[in-house]
Amino acid sequence: MSTTLLRTSTARTMLRAGASASSMKVGMAGVSFVRGKATLPDLPYDYGALEPAISGKIMELHHKYHHNTYVNSYNNFSEQMSAAQSKSDIASQIALQPLINFHGGGHLNHTLFWENLAPAKEGGGEPPSGPLSKAIEETFGGIEPLQKQFNTALAAVQGSGWVWLIKDKRTDQIGIQTYANQDPVVAHYAPLLGIDAWEHSNSLDYQNRKAEYFKAIWQVINWKAAEKRF
């Protein structure tokens, strides 16, 4: 499957404010919603646990501030949407929908991303095993060719976006896909492993040396999470 840029109408449909957020199924274990409201998930490791690949400072900024902004904004715009719906204010609903899509997608993507990472002492960087390892071998020729193709896709992201290893639920085939901005992996695709290509994920550590970040992050990739999603 070739790398493609997806700006999906499906994502917009899945994130409609009228739908219960807790009913969204995007293949994750820990997306946190409380009675329809998003909440910031706790990390299963300390901010500094992924060093030297990712510094504690950037992890704190990324989780505590960037992710939390998506959570708060999603909740805020969802409340505004509910108010607009109660008034049958169609113009306001149209204006609010892109904001709900963006911030809701940011929450979903980052929740998955934290699970994609693990300290080296807890298995971070260890290669995948089992059925996923076999699928990677059959599709890419091994883990190193996959990483090379993945990093090429990351380097090609213009500005903001994500690159995901996905599973096509219709065919059980895996592939690499690029998603713009905060568009989440939804519909007939299941997200297995994603890497954030936004500058806020790496610029404090790597400045303009993105290629170094894309190489280093594989040292703390948690393939066990991807295996569970597969």
Side-chain angles (χ1 to χ4, degrees):
M1 182 182 298
S2 61
T3 301
T4 56
L5 180 66
L6 300 186
R7 296 178 181 271
T8 60
S9 59
T10 308
R12 291 189 288 272
T13 301
M14 290 294 290
L15 288 169
R16 288 188 186 279
S20 171
S22 61
S23 70
M24 291 185 224
K25 302 296 183 182
V26 292
M28 69 193 70
V31 174
S32 43
F33 294 94
V34 178
R35 294 187 179 181
K37 280 200 170 187
T39 59
L40 184 69
D42 293 330
L43 297 183
Y45 40 77
D46 294 334
Y47 286 136
L50 305 180
E51 293 182 346
I54 306 175
S55 71
K57 183 62 176 178
I58 204 164
M59 283 296 298
E60 181 177 9
L61 288 170
H62 200 174
H63 174 260
K64 189 175 181 181
Y65 297 100
H66 287 286
H67 188 172
N68 202 38
T69 295
Y70 295 126
V71 168
N72 292 335
S73 297
Y74 172 80
N75 290 334
N76 176 44
F77 293 127
S78 294
E79 289 175 0
Q80 293 182 43
M81 176 66 83
S82 295
Q85 289 172 334
S86 69
K87 300 174 184 177
S88 298
D89 185 346
I90 296 174
S92 292
Q93 292 177 55
I94 292 171
L96 286 165
Q97 194 59 61
L99 297 170
I100 291 171
N101 296 341
F102 178 80
H103 292 286
H107 175 48
L108 298 179
N109 287 338
H110 283 84
T111 299
L112 282 168
F113 182 58
W114 308 134
E115 296 173 359
N116 280 162
L117 304 174
K121 64 181 181 181
E122 296 176 15
E126 293 181 2
S129 60
L132 178 57
S133 177
K134 182 179 179 181
I136 289 172
E137 186 68 33
E138 293 174 348
T139 304
F140 300 99
I143 188 66
E144 291 184 6
L146 177 147
Q147 290 174 346
K148 183 177 180 179
Q149 185 173 331
F150 210 105
N151 286 359
T152 297
L154 284 164
V157 172
Q158 298 294 317
S160 306
W162 292 74
V163 176
W164 290 90
L165 178 67
I166 57 89
K167 176 182 178 181
D168 189 326
K169 292 183 282 188
R170 301 165 302 180
T171 65
D172 288 336
Q173 298 297 306
I174 62 172
I176 294 171
Q177 300 220 32
T178 299
Y179 286 72
N181 301 314
Q182 292 295 354
D183 288 354
V185 182
V186 291
H188 51 266
Y189 294 119
L192 303 180
L193 184 148
I195 294 180
D196 189 350
W198 282 64
E199 287 192 359
H200 67 232
S201 70
N202 61 80
S203 60
L204 187 65
D205 289 345
Y206 294 93
Q207 299 175 0
N208 65 339
R209 307 185 310 278
K210 272 190 168 185
E212 293 181 22
Y213 162 69
F214 299 149
K215 181 179 180 181
I217 197 170
W218 294 102
Q219 300 171 17
V220 291
I221 287 294
N222 181 15
W223 282 104
K224 290 182 177 66
E227 290 168 7
K228 290 178 181 179
R229 295 171 192 157
F230 183 71

